[in-house]
Amino acid sequence: MNFKTILSVAVLALAAVNASPVNNIETIKKQCEDDGLATFYINDNGEYTCLRHHPKKEDLDYRTCFFTNDNDDEVVCVEEGFSNIPSCSKNSGATDYDKCAYKFLEFVDDGSDELPYRIRKFPTHEKIFTHNYVIDQKECRGHDGIVLSYKAAFQYICLQPATPKNSVSISDKECVRVDGKIYCIVQDNTSIDHCVRRDKQYSHEACKKTLELYSKVNNVNITEYIEN
């Protein structure tokens, strides 16, 4: 084998090595998204994951799953074999649910002021990103909500439109009418304790006064306070 042949073989081998990771990622992405129920994510550090929608009633013990949004019948899970993030794998020996949730958040946060998901623990629905006004307000806006804040960014109320999905629980919330449309306080995305009914500081009258003030300074036209 002459020098030219050896050089050609070496170049081809190097090209194959360099192309292999890309090809593998493309294959993993294709297999992840093949059925239309999953989304493949990869970041600049080469970390990747496959997040798939599953009915809650499935056997999900071997997956890391999260509730998202208002759909209680469905969860989003990390697909084993399509993720290289140890904290998200139940087979890695390094599983960390909260760290995995933050990775999920990193992948779906596009840097705007809105988040498409409310990521919550499965099966308890517990909030994961506590005391984080940035995430709270992004979640609110990402669900067509109105954020009312005044003076301090960490003092805020989230008003979300009432829909057929969330209207069942309206009786547990403070609700108002804004330009003819019913909006209710999302307690998970509200930091004003006296507007959160499950908080010991809750006060309907105090909340009403706060809503009156915050709506005025935010130019939100509340036309009616709904008594529940």
Side-chain angles (χ1 to χ4, degrees):
M1 187 181 289
N2 59 34
F3 175 76
K4 186 175 181 180
T5 303
I6 293 172
L7 182 61
S8 298
V9 170
V11 169
L12 287 171
L14 182 61
V17 169
N18 288 337
S20 181
V22 176
N23 290 337
N24 286 342
I25 292 297
E26 289 174 353
T27 300
I28 293 169
K29 181 180 188 299
K30 184 178 184 304
Q31 291 175 345
C32 163
E33 298 181 336
D34 227 15
D35 61 0
L37 297 175
T39 304
F40 182 80
Y41 296 93
I42 185 167
N43 63 22
D44 293 339
N45 298 321
E47 294 176 311
Y48 61 84
T49 194
C50 176
L51 298 174
R52 185 182 303 278
H53 292 265
H54 288 272
K56 184 179 68 174
K57 62 184 179 182
E58 279 187 12
D59 180 9
L60 301 169
D61 287 344
Y62 61 97
R63 287 185 171 96
T64 301
C65 300
F66 303 91
F67 279 116
T68 60
N69 303 330
D70 297 320
N71 189 351
D72 278 348
D73 297 323
E74 191 175 81
V75 292
V76 172
C77 302
V78 177
E79 293 300 286
E80 295 282 349
F82 297 91
S83 175
N84 67 350
I85 302 172
S87 62
C88 293
S89 172
K90 289 198 171 182
N91 298 321
S92 68
T95 309
D96 188 312
Y97 193 87
D98 286 359
K99 281 186 180 179
C100 183
Y102 274 95
K103 283 295 177 186
F104 184 175
L105 178 67
E106 286 176 20
F107 283 125
V108 299
D109 188 350
D110 62 3
S112 70
D113 66 351
E114 298 181 1
L115 270 173
Y117 294 116
R118 282 192 176 101
I119 303 169
R120 300 293 183 265
K121 287 185 179 180
F122 172 76
T124 63
H125 278 286
E126 288 177 77
K127 193 173 180 179
I128 301 168
F129 316 116
T130 56
H131 310 298
N132 191 316
Y133 73 89
V134 174
I135 294 176
D136 273 349
Q137 294 182 24
K138 282 188 172 191
E139 287 181 349
C140 182
R141 295 189 193 97
H143 293 78
D144 300 319
I146 300 169
V147 176
L148 302 178
S149 63
Y150 180 50
K151 291 187 177 179
F154 53 84
Q155 294 291 320
Y156 52 90
I157 296 170
C158 173
L159 292 175
Q160 184 173 317
T163 67
K165 280 187 178 180
N166 64 27
S167 61
V168 176
S169 57
I170 279 181
S171 60
D172 295 333
K173 299 178 177 69
E174 296 290 322
C175 296
V176 296
R177 199 177 296 275
V178 178
D179 295 326
K181 190 173 183 178
I182 295 177
Y183 284 76
C184 297
I185 290 178
V186 178
Q187 299 181 83
D188 255 13
N189 295 144
T190 294
S191 70
I192 307 294
D193 292 341
H194 56 251
C195 285
V196 177
R197 289 198 173 185
R198 61 173 176 255
D199 194 279
K200 62 183 180 181
Q201 302 296 325
Y202 167 73
S203 166
H204 172 71
E205 289 305 316
C207 183
K208 185 176 177 180
K209 288 179 181 178
T210 300
L211 281 168
E212 288 173 350
L213 172 62
Y214 280 33
S215 62
K216 284 179 182 177
V217 297
N218 287 273
N219 296 314
V220 173
N221 183 29
I222 293 179
T223 56
E224 181 186 354
Y225 293 86
I226 299 171
E227 300 292 335
N228 290 327

